Amino acid sequence: MTCLVGAESYAFMQDEAASSWGDAAGSSGTGSSGTEYFFPFVSYGVRCTPLYRQSNAFIGLHQRKHRQAYGANVAGPASFYLHGYYPSGVSASLAQKAIDWCFLDYETDEVASRTVEWAEGPNVTNRRHTGLRVNSASLVGNADSGDLICNVDLIGRQEYAYQTANTLPTDMEKLADFSVTSATLTLFGETTQFSEFTWQLNRNLQPLRLNDWWITQLCGGTRDETLSITIPKTTDKWDQLNRLIADTPGACEGTATIVCQGSHNGTGGSGTYTQMTVVFNRLRFIQNDLAGDKGILMQPLQFEVLKPDTSSNGTTISWANV
């Protein structure tokens, strides 16, 4: 018996056109709508799950006699680091491709979707998942571990089997991921050091199932977006804002900017690093908390990301090679 080893699994990804959700693989599972590029997941848990029903007819027995499948869902969690690396034939870094997939499409019904080819074996149980959209995403930076990792929950359209996996790139030593050490934070106009932050988005995607085996449509719902930051307690600023929330809500709003970067190792065309700048154009302070007991006191701060009364969105994301 030859067992499969998880360490040998890997993924390639394709962008899908907004007008053809879930069709990157075509009706036969062999088509393409964009350049395939290697994408280094940390974990990939997307699965095809059959849906069953059991009739409840009177058949004169206590035991059931039938189970019928009527459809299937393609969904699951995944996680990945941000990499400054630019894949061959692609005009953006892996970090930008990932963040755009997760956090853009502010006022769009048909949010960005991807086809993922998951090679398992490889070439033993390869699977192609089409129409993958991000239902929720969280970008978490932690100073204790140094990690900057993105966790997502995905919903897709279909799963196909395919025979031959793409060849792994030969320059994976250039896949340097972003580190929290490189990140800077400006919060309500002040440069602020932090121990952890979490940028969380829930798109509340709305699946529609018609008379088909797979879901027929998957549209974006109301965006719920938050930012949580843990900082050392050095002043009573946030305690004061906690008391002002009910009386003067305007005083509890501000902006924040997070800048982080990772080396592109010469794949980016200019500079040394791929740099991401996220501007939170309108943050509403929700509350602060206290942690640390008898040690160093830390303040977990919670904010809601809101749309300003301008043409701007709740966040502005920009990229540069520096």
Side-chain angles (χ1 to χ4, degrees):
M1 178 178 67
T2 301
C3 296
L4 302 185
V5 179
E8 297 175 358
S9 301
Y10 59 91
F12 273 72
M13 187 179 288
Q14 290 174 279
D15 300 354
E16 293 181 358
S19 59
S20 57
W21 170 64
D23 289 340
S27 60
S28 64
T30 58
S32 173
S33 69
T35 300
E36 291 182 308
Y37 49 92
F38 174 71
F39 193 88
F41 284 102
V42 174
S43 65
Y44 185 75
V46 176
R47 299 291 183 266
C48 176
T49 305
L51 302 175
Y52 295 97
R53 60 179 296 273
Q54 289 183 320
S55 59
N56 201 29
F58 288 98
I59 59 173
L61 298 171
H62 288 274
Q63 301 171 78
R64 294 189 180 275
K65 296 283 286 184
H66 299 284
R67 174 179 286 267
Q68 296 170 283
Y70 67 90
N73 288 333
V74 175
S79 62
F80 45 83
Y81 297 121
L82 301 183
H83 297 86
Y85 172 86
Y86 282 68
S88 176
V90 178
S91 60
S93 66
L94 288 178
Q96 182 174 350
K97 301 292 283 186
I99 292 296
D100 287 357
W101 183 34
C102 293
F103 290 100
L104 291 187
D105 298 320
Y106 302 94
E107 298 294 333
T108 304
D109 292 336
E110 302 290 340
V111 301
S113 61
R114 303 285 190 264
T115 288
V116 170
E117 293 188 343
W118 182 251
E120 197 168 77
N123 299 332
V124 179
T125 60
N126 297 345
R127 297 185 297 275
R128 178 183 283 116
H129 295 131
T130 70
L132 290 173
R133 286 178 167 164
V134 177
N135 187 37
S136 65
S138 61
L139 182 64
V140 181
N142 186 288
D144 286 332
S145 65
D147 283 349
L148 188 61
I149 193 167
C150 194
N151 304 301
V152 296
D153 285 311
L154 304 172
I155 302 176
R157 187 177 186 186
Q158 300 184 60
E159 178 181 281
Y160 297 97
Y162 74 101
Q163 298 301 315
T164 306
N166 283 284
T167 302
L168 283 168
T170 57
D171 60 350
M172 286 192 288
E173 74 279 0
K174 296 182 178 180
L175 285 170
D177 55 283
F178 286 29
S179 170
V180 168
T181 308
S182 71
T184 61
L185 168 67
T186 304
L187 181 62
F188 281 39
E190 297 180 3
T191 300
T192 305
Q193 288 193 295
F194 61 90
S195 65
E196 186 173 15
F197 75 84
T198 301
W199 174 21
Q200 172 80 39
L201 171 66
N202 190 341
R203 283 199 176 114
N204 295 297
L205 293 179
Q206 305 296 308
L208 174 65
R209 186 181 300 278
L210 298 178
N211 54 324
D212 197 346
W213 185 264
W214 311 100
I215 60 173
T216 309
Q217 196 166 1
L218 184 64
C219 293
T222 301
R223 287 171 62 105
D224 294 317
E225 195 167 3
T226 60
L227 178 66
S228 302
I229 304 169
T230 301
I231 63 173
K233 187 166 189 177
T234 57
T235 71
D236 67 344
K237 172 180 178 177
W238 301 104
D239 290 334
Q240 290 187 45
L241 287 183
N242 230 19
R243 293 188 287 269
L244 289 172
I245 283 178
D247 297 331
T248 54
C252 300
E253 292 190 0
T255 63
T257 302
I258 294 175
V259 180
C260 52
Q261 63 186 23
S263 174
H264 60 61
N265 278 313
T267 62
S270 64
T272 304
Y273 301 97
T274 299
Q275 180 173 281
M276 175 181 73
T277 302
V278 183
V279 179
F280 296 86
N281 295 309
R282 184 186 172 200
L283 285 180
R284 176 67 159 88
F285 175 62
I286 299 175
Q287 67 176 26
N288 70 335
D289 204 343
L290 187 64
D293 194 22
K294 294 183 175 65
I296 295 174
L297 296 181
M298 304 296 290
Q299 281 189 305
L301 308 175
Q302 298 180 35
F303 303 88
E304 185 177 10
V305 181
L306 299 173
K307 187 188 184 311
D309 291 329
T310 65
S311 59
S312 298
N313 294 303
T315 59
T316 302
I317 308 170
S318 57
W319 298 87
N321 290 335
V322 296

